Amino acid sequence: MSSVVSRRLSVAPMLDWTDRHYRFFARQITHHALLYSEMVTTGALLFGQADRFLSFDEAEHPVALQLGGSDPKDLAKCAILAQTYGYDEVNLNCGCPSPRVQKGAFGACLMNEVSLVADCLKAMQDVTDIDVTVKHRIGVDREDSYDIVRDFVGALAHQTSCSTFIVHARNAWLEGLSPKENREVPPLKYEYVYKLKQDFPDLEIIINGGVKTNEDITKHLDFVDGVMVGREAYHNPYFMAQWDQLFYDDSHAVLTQVQIVDLLRIYCQKQLDRNQGTNMRHMVRHYLGLMQGKKGAKAWRRMLSDAKLLNGADTTLLVEAVGCIEN
Ligand SMILES: Cc1cc2nc3c(=O)[nH]c(=O)nc-3n(C[C@H](O)[C@H](O)[C@H](O)COP(=O)(O)O)c2cc1C
């Protein structure tokens, strides 16, 4: 079982959401949870601007890069890039159902191509020392037998040295549903993921899908090694504030939302000073949910998403927006 990176809790890869600015923000709330990048395709890295997709702030560690692709050679090249940039893990996406991804023959449709997935993982493992992991569903389309995911995981564990499997506990329906619906409509079957852990006790099994509270997390941890949280960690990020204490036995002082904004202001200023095209909108769009439950949250959200205020804004926008929050 992998031991260097703790995956007890992690924040899911989410396209357009878990970019470096979100990850820096999340890291101010939890010191320990593993943070995943958005999915980056091998094409974007090998034929685009690798540095734009890969660079990140040291403070984000532990951080994992998720790759989308199905060509073992390309994935190997990208795994080397991941290691060179200092990522703690590289993850292969076998769960994304979007039609664009299916056209590129990667994502969830790879669950039907287990030998190819094994080749991809081996190619990455051969060239890197960092952990190579997989994120996948429990099946594709309407095939709803447990055997599908058991055989997928079993074959990969047998044919490669991959020992960490992150399982979104629902099927991906490759036709007829949008990616959004594919995160909501196919039913969650947590029992399949628990059973994987029973059948493969030596593997690290991480459960994902529909987790919204610390009580949910506690319950899952009775059955699996770790819990990955996606949407709730984005829409209600301060829910992560208790994680270090509850799940990592680390009782450092928990920052208040207002203290977090102070740190974010310094971060935003640093990014603006670098003059590399980052503007306030790129960063503050991730902060909208921070004040959930506090008086003034609505005004906070309104200010941080007001096109007029954002146009040419500097960090005083954050100072003014936080002024709307009542303690
Ligand atoms: C906006 C958005 C983008 C996503 N992008 C990715 C992605 O790039 N790679 C991936 O493996 N999953 C992606 N997902 C799926 C999440 O990683 C996660 O599996 C899913 O949201 C279920 O977890 P949750 O119920 O905790 O949100 C995305 C989800 C959302 C909401």
Side-chain angles (χ1 to χ4, degrees), residues 15 39 41 68-69 93 95-109:
L15 206 57
M39 179 184 76
T41 63
N93 182 328
C96 180
S98 103
R100 199 163 50 86
V101 162
Q102 282 179 57
K103 232 167 129 202
F106 58 93
C109 56

Side-chain angles (χ1 to χ4, degrees), residues 3-300:
S3 57
V4 184
V5 180
S6 164
R7 299 183 186 83
R8 192 167 166 74
L9 292 183
S10 55
V11 176
M14 289 179 281
L15 206 57
D16 198 39
W17 289 9
T18 52
D19 64 11
R20 53 178 302 180
H21 305 307
Y22 169 79
R23 296 194 307 263
F24 181 89
F25 165 51
R27 182 59 73 222
Q28 308 315 303
I29 307 175
T30 165
H31 294 182
H32 297 285
L34 174 61
L35 305 176
Y36 281 80
S37 74
E38 315 169 77
M39 179 184 76
V40 187
T41 63
T42 51
L45 293 185
L46 299 177
F47 311 111
Q49 301 159 286
D51 198 58
R52 182 162 80 81
F53 290 109
L54 293 180
S55 53
F56 63 91
D57 193 293
E58 280 300 299
E60 291 170 37
H61 282 294
V63 62
L65 177 70
Q66 187 188 58
L67 291 174
S70 60
D71 180 280
K73 283 200 199 82
D74 287 350
L75 285 163
K77 286 183 203 156
C78 292
I80 293 174
L81 283 174
Q83 176 159 315
T84 310
Y85 272 80
Y87 284 86
D88 300 290
E89 168 189 324
V90 60
N91 172 270
L92 180 65
N93 182 328
C94 295
C96 180
S98 103
R100 199 163 50 86
V101 162
Q102 282 179 57
K103 232 167 129 202
F106 58 93
C109 56
L110 284 179
M111 285 198 74
N112 291 326
E113 309 257 4
V114 70
S115 316
L116 176 60
V117 177
D119 289 344
C120 292
L121 297 176
K122 278 189 284 192
M124 292 194 278
Q125 284 168 334
D126 283 348
V127 293
T128 52
D129 304 321
I130 55 177
D131 291 344
V132 176
T133 67
V134 199
K135 179 169 180 279
H136 56 94
R137 301 272 184 140
I138 53 174
V140 284
D141 296 325
R142 312 294 162 123
E143 296 268 10
D144 67 353
S145 142
Y146 165 70
D147 301 359
I148 309 269
V149 70
R150 181 202 59 201
D151 293 348
F152 182 76
V153 168
L156 294 178
H158 181 67
Q159 292 171 36
T160 77
S161 51
C162 179
S163 60
T164 301
F165 295 81
I166 301 155
V167 193
H168 183 176
R170 51 163 64 89
N171 274 35
W173 294 354
L174 297 179
E175 273 175 36
L177 292 185
S178 68
K180 186 167 185 284
E181 289 167 330
N182 248 312
R183 295 190 284 267
E184 283 154 14
V185 177
L188 283 164
K189 294 188 179 154
Y190 293 135
E191 65 281 9
Y192 282 16
V193 188
Y194 299 163
K195 183 132 175 47
L196 277 177
K197 182 63 196 175
Q198 279 169 12
D199 289 346
F200 302 99
D202 294 338
L203 298 179
E204 184 178 39
I205 303 291
I206 311 297
I207 200 165
N208 167 243
V211 175
K212 289 200 166 70
T213 64
N214 290 327
E215 289 72 36
D216 293 343
I217 293 173
T218 307
K219 194 181 116 214
H220 287 310
L221 286 174
D222 280 343
F223 300 98
V224 290
D225 300 295
V227 180
M228 171 183 270
V229 183
R231 286 162 290 188
E232 193 64 16
Y234 192 84
H235 293 308
N236 180 21
Y238 200 64
F239 131 78
M240 297 185 280
Q242 297 303 319
W243 284 8
D244 293 350
Q245 195 169 3
L246 289 177
F247 303 110
Y248 291 91
D249 204 16
D250 179 346
S251 54
H252 65 78
V254 173
L255 298 180
T256 65
Q257 283 116 308
V258 173
Q259 287 170 324
I260 289 170
V261 175
D262 274 342
L263 299 175
L264 294 173
R265 198 173 46 78
I266 296 167
Y267 172 79
C268 290
Q269 190 60 56
K270 210 167 102 189
Q271 299 303 312
L272 296 179
D273 291 345
R274 288 172 64 208
N275 239 336
Q276 292 185 337
T278 302
N279 62 39
M280 285 298 279
R281 184 197 309 267
H282 296 140
M283 301 180 276
V284 302
R285 70 190 182 97
H286 300 301
Y287 309 159
L288 300 185
L290 175 63
M291 300 298 178
Q292 201 177 111
K294 288 191 86 73
K295 273 201 174 148
K298 209 166 158 194
W300 160 266

